[in-house]
Amino acid sequence: MRRQRFYFRIRIRKGSKKVAAAVEMRGITKKFGDFTANDNINFQVEWAQIHGICGENGAGKTTLMNTLYGLHQPTSGTIYIDGRQAVIHSPKDSIAMGIGMVQQHFSLVPSMTVAENIVMGNPPYKKNGLVDKKKSIAIVEEISKKYNLAVEPAAAVKELPVGLQQRVEILKALYLGANILIMDEPTAVLTPQEISGLFVTLDGLRKQGKSVILITHKLSEVTAITDQITVMRLGRVEGTIETKKTSECEIARMMVGREVLMRVEKEASVPKETVLDVDHISCINHQGILAVDDVSFQVREGEIVGVAGVQGNGQTELIEAITGLKKLRKGRIRIGGTLLKGRNMPRLCRDLKIGHIPEDRQETGAARHASIRDNYLLYLHTLETFKKGIFLDYKRVDAACKEGLKEYDVRYNRIQDNASSLSGGNLQKLIIAREMYTKPRLLVAAQPTRGVDIGATEFIHRQIVAHRDAGNAVLLFSNELSEIMSLSDRILVMFKGRIIGEICQAEATEEQLGFWMAGIKKES
C-alpha cells in the first residue's frame, strides 16, 4: 500500500492536479494534565522539502513531532498524510504510513552490528526461521549505496563515532519505508565535518522526493538547509516563513518575542591568581588507551579559557580528570594550591568549589528518574543552609529550587515531577542553575549550550561572563567554534590528547584554530 500511495503522489506531481501536502496537522492540541504543550497548532510540510521547526526550549516542538510519530496522542485535532486523514496510535502506525523519526538520543542496540540494528524492525528470515545475516548485510549495502550513506554492515554499533551512529538511525528509518523523516536536534552531538555530511544526506533525500522535518536550535544551520521554517513559542505557532526571505535575527525575534543579541558582549579581563594548575597530566580512556598525553596549563581568576578540538581528542577524559572522575596515570592537578588526591575525589572537588556542567546531561548531569527538586539538590544537600538538625529543611529547599528554576527560565509543571519530563534544553538549564548556585571558584563548563535555544544561549553566555567578572575562573569546552571564540579570553586546542596550540582570543582566527584542530601546527 505504501508503495502505491508514494507512486500516486509522484504521478500527480507531473500533471496539472494540485499535490496534497506530505503532512498536514490541523488544530492539534496536546495537554498533560493542566499543562498545554501544544495549543491549536496548524502545521504543514510539502513533499520534496526540508522544513525547519524552531522555538525556545519547552515551546512544544518535540511534543508536536512525537504526536505525528505516534508517541503521543493528541487531545484534539486531525492529522493528514499525503492528503488522507490518518489515525496514528503508535509508532507502528506511523512507520506503516511512511513516517520515520531519528530521536535526539539514539535508540540503537550498542552490542549489535550495524546490519542487525537497521533490519531489526523487519528482518529477512531463512527457511528455518532464523534471521538471514548474509541477506541483512546485502540489504544494508544496497540501501547504503542508494542513499549515499556509507556504513560498515558488520561493525558493532558501540565502536562507531556518534556521526556514524546517526547515519545508522537514518538508514534504519529509510529501510522501514520512511518518505517523511523527522529529525530532532540532529547536529547536537556532531562535529562540523559530520554536520556538513549530514546536510549532504538531507539534500539527497529532498532531491529523491522525500520530506524532512528538522527540529533545531541552531539558526545558522536551519537557514542553510531548509526551504521553510515554522517558529513556535509557548506551545503555539508564531508563523511559517520561507527561509530565503528571512534572517537569523528575524527568526530569533519570533522565537523569543524580543530582539536578541547575536554576539557576546564582554570587557577585557585582568587575570589574577591561579585557580587551576594542570601539571603534565596523562590518563587513559575506558578502553585503556592513552587519551590525555602530558597536558599542562593554568586557569586564573577572572578569565575564561576555552578548549577547542574535534570531539574525541581527549576533552572528555581531561574534564573527568579535573573534576575528580578519572584517576591520573601521572602528573598533578591543584585547585588554589590544594593537590587533588584521595579516595573521594569528586567530593573533594566540590568542597574546593569546583562547579561542573557535564557534556552529557542525560547520563552524567542528571538523575532522570529522580524529581526535578532532587536533581537541583544534588550536592546542595550538604550545605548547612538547607539543614534542619539532621534533616533537610524542605521548605528552604523548595524555595531555593523554584527561585533558581525561575531565574534560568526552566519550563516545568511541578518540581516533584521526574527530571525526564523536561525537554533536553530545560534539563540543561536546570543543571546550570544548580551548578551556579554555589558560585564556584572554578566552573568547568562542557558544552554549556548544547541543545539550548537562542534566547537561553544568550542568557547562559551572560551568566558565564558575569561569573568571570566576579573574579572566578572558567574552563570552557565546546564543539561550537563560534562559542569558543566569542566567550574565551585564551584558547587551547586539543589534538590526539595533547595541547597542540594556545592563543589569546584577540589574535585567534577560525583558519588558525581549524588548522590546529586538524593536527596541523601552522603558524598564523
Side-chain angles (χ1 to χ4, degrees):
M1 177 63 73
R2 191 183 303 123
R3 288 184 179 178
Q4 291 175 350
R5 182 162 67 247
F6 188 58
Y7 171 78
F8 176 72
R9 177 177 61 79
I10 295 295
R11 181 175 61 81
I12 64 173
R13 180 181 296 160
K14 295 179 179 180
S16 58
K17 296 182 181 179
K18 184 179 179 181
V19 181
V23 174
E24 187 176 0
M25 305 178 79
R26 299 179 187 172
I28 297 295
T29 295
K30 177 59 184 176
K31 294 186 177 183
F32 297 95
D34 295 331
F35 175 68
T36 302
N38 292 151
D39 186 4
N40 193 32
I41 288 178
N42 295 313
F43 174 74
Q44 183 170 307
V45 180
E46 305 299 331
W47 288 110
Q49 181 186 81
I50 299 177
H51 194 114
I53 303 181
C54 294
E56 292 187 280
N57 297 122
K61 309 179 298 296
T62 299
T63 299
L64 183 66
M65 289 302 98
N66 282 341
T67 300
L68 177 60
Y69 191 57
L71 292 171
H72 296 322
Q73 303 304 307
T75 305
S76 62
T78 311
I79 299 172
Y80 295 85
I81 303 299
D82 200 19
R84 301 180 183 181
Q85 187 171 342
V87 179
I88 305 174
H89 295 295
S90 70
K92 183 178 179 180
D93 292 335
S94 66
I95 291 168
M97 296 174 190
I99 304 170
M101 186 170 186
V102 177
Q103 302 277 2
Q104 185 175 352
H105 304 286
F106 304 150
S107 58
L108 301 173
V109 181
S111 60
M112 295 174 65
T113 67
V114 168
E116 289 168 340
N117 270 278
I118 290 173
V119 305
M120 189 189 305
N122 185 23
Y125 292 102
K126 297 180 181 178
K127 291 182 179 180
N128 59 10
L130 298 176
V131 174
D132 191 330
K133 291 186 177 181
K134 286 187 177 180
K135 193 169 183 179
S136 297
I137 290 173
I139 288 172
V140 171
E141 288 175 341
E142 181 183 350
I143 64 171
S144 173
K145 184 177 180 180
K146 177 180 178 181
Y147 294 108
N148 196 28
L149 292 170
V151 292
E152 175 50 59
V157 164
K158 63 183 178 183
E159 297 174 354
L160 301 179
V162 175
L164 285 180
Q165 289 186 29
Q166 186 182 69
R167 191 174 292 183
V168 174
E169 283 276 24
I170 295 172
L171 283 171
K172 184 170 70 172
L174 293 173
Y175 168 70
L176 293 174
N179 294 317
I180 301 163
L181 185 64
I182 306 166
M183 302 200 73
D184 189 1
E185 298 290 351
T187 66
V189 294
L190 301 185
T191 66
Q193 295 88 341
E194 290 169 333
I195 292 170
S196 297
L198 173 63
F199 284 179
V200 170
T201 297
L202 298 185
D203 185 52
L205 295 177
R206 172 169 53 190
K207 289 175 179 176
Q208 293 184 36
K210 297 181 184 294
S211 296
V212 179
I213 303 172
L214 187 67
I215 305 173
T216 182
H217 292 108
K218 299 182 180 180
L219 301 187
S220 61
E221 295 175 2
V222 77
T223 54
I225 189 66
T226 64
D227 300 291
Q228 284 191 317
I229 301 168
T230 292
V231 180
M232 294 183 64
R233 184 164 175 259
L234 300 176
R236 296 182 177 182
V237 170
E238 282 290 298
T240 297
I241 48 183
E242 287 188 47
T243 306
K244 62 184 179 182
K245 294 182 180 179
T246 190
S247 65
E248 292 183 26
C249 291
E250 175 63 16
I251 298 169
R253 187 193 62 76
M254 291 176 67
M255 287 169 56
V256 181
R258 59 175 174 80
E259 295 299 325
V260 178
L261 190 65
M262 302 297 286
R263 64 186 185 280
V264 178
E265 287 189 342
K266 62 186 178 72
E267 301 293 333
S269 67
V270 182
K272 297 179 181 178
E273 298 295 321
T274 297
V275 175
L276 172 65
D277 184 9
V278 176
D279 184 18
H280 295 284
I281 70 166
S282 296
C283 57
I284 59 176
N285 60 20
H286 297 300
Q287 288 77 41
I289 300 170
L290 187 65
V292 177
D293 185 7
D294 195 30
V295 166
S296 297
F297 64 92
Q298 295 179 334
V299 185
R300 295 165 293 176
E301 295 174 344
E303 75 169 343
I304 300 172
V305 175
V307 181
V310 177
Q311 189 171 355
N313 277 275
Q315 299 97 315
T316 297
E317 291 76 14
L318 179 58
I319 293 166
E320 291 175 346
I322 293 170
T323 55
L325 299 173
K326 183 170 287 294
K327 187 177 180 180
L328 300 179
R329 290 190 68 181
K330 68 173 185 177
R332 296 177 179 178
I333 299 175
R334 289 182 173 85
I335 302 296
T338 301
L339 185 65
L340 291 187
K341 65 176 182 178
R343 291 187 178 181
N344 194 349
M345 292 280 285
R347 177 58 187 269
L348 174 61
C349 290
R350 289 293 186 180
D351 291 343
L352 291 172
K353 298 198 72 174
I354 298 179
H356 178 205
I357 302 170
E359 58 184 344
D360 189 338
R361 59 175 171 254
Q362 297 286 337
E363 299 300 326
T364 310
R368 289 175 292 167
H369 300 297
S371 70
I372 293 171
R373 177 180 64 189
D374 287 349
N375 272 274
Y376 190 81
L377 198 57
L378 293 177
Y379 178 70
L380 302 186
H381 72 280
T382 65
L383 303 179
E384 291 298 324
T385 306
F386 299 123
K387 289 184 179 179
K388 192 175 184 179
I390 62 173
F391 300 102
L392 284 171
D393 186 339
Y394 276 102
K395 185 174 288 187
R396 286 187 177 182
V397 167
D398 289 358
C401 178
K402 291 176 181 178
E403 183 180 349
L405 298 180
K406 182 180 179 181
E407 181 183 358
Y408 280 79
D409 192 29
V410 179
R411 311 281 174 85
Y412 66 98
N413 188 17
R414 303 179 307 140
I415 60 173
Q416 292 81 13
D417 293 341
N418 282 358
S420 59
S421 67
L422 298 176
S423 67
N426 278 304
L427 182 59
Q428 182 79 359
K429 290 189 285 186
L430 163 64
I431 293 166
I432 295 172
R434 178 188 71 209
E435 295 304 313
M436 295 294 270
Y437 181 86
T438 57
K439 296 179 173 55
R441 188 179 183 190
L442 170 67
L443 176 66
V444 180
Q447 318 299 339
T449 59
R450 173 177 282 172
V452 173
D453 61 68
I454 186 69
T457 295
E458 178 194 36
F459 177 78
I460 291 167
H461 284 172
R462 286 203 309 264
Q463 295 302 307
I464 291 174
V465 171
H467 194 66
R468 178 206 71 165
D469 292 345
N472 302 298
V474 178
L475 182 61
L476 171 69
F477 294 80
S478 178
N479 290 336
E480 298 291 333
L481 195 53
S482 59
E483 184 169 59
I484 289 285
M485 293 185 68
S486 60
L487 278 178
S488 305
D489 301 301
R490 256 189 315 129
I491 300 172
L492 311 175
V493 178
M494 288 194 73
F495 178 75
K496 292 188 176 179
R498 288 178 170 267
I499 301 295
I500 193 174
E502 177 178 342
I503 193 169
C504 67
Q505 185 270 343
E507 298 175 0
T509 64
E510 287 192 15
E511 182 183 24
Q512 177 72 77
L513 297 178
F515 278 125
W516 286 349
M517 289 169 68
I520 303 169
K521 195 67 170 71
K522 180 178 180 180
E523 299 300 330
S524 58

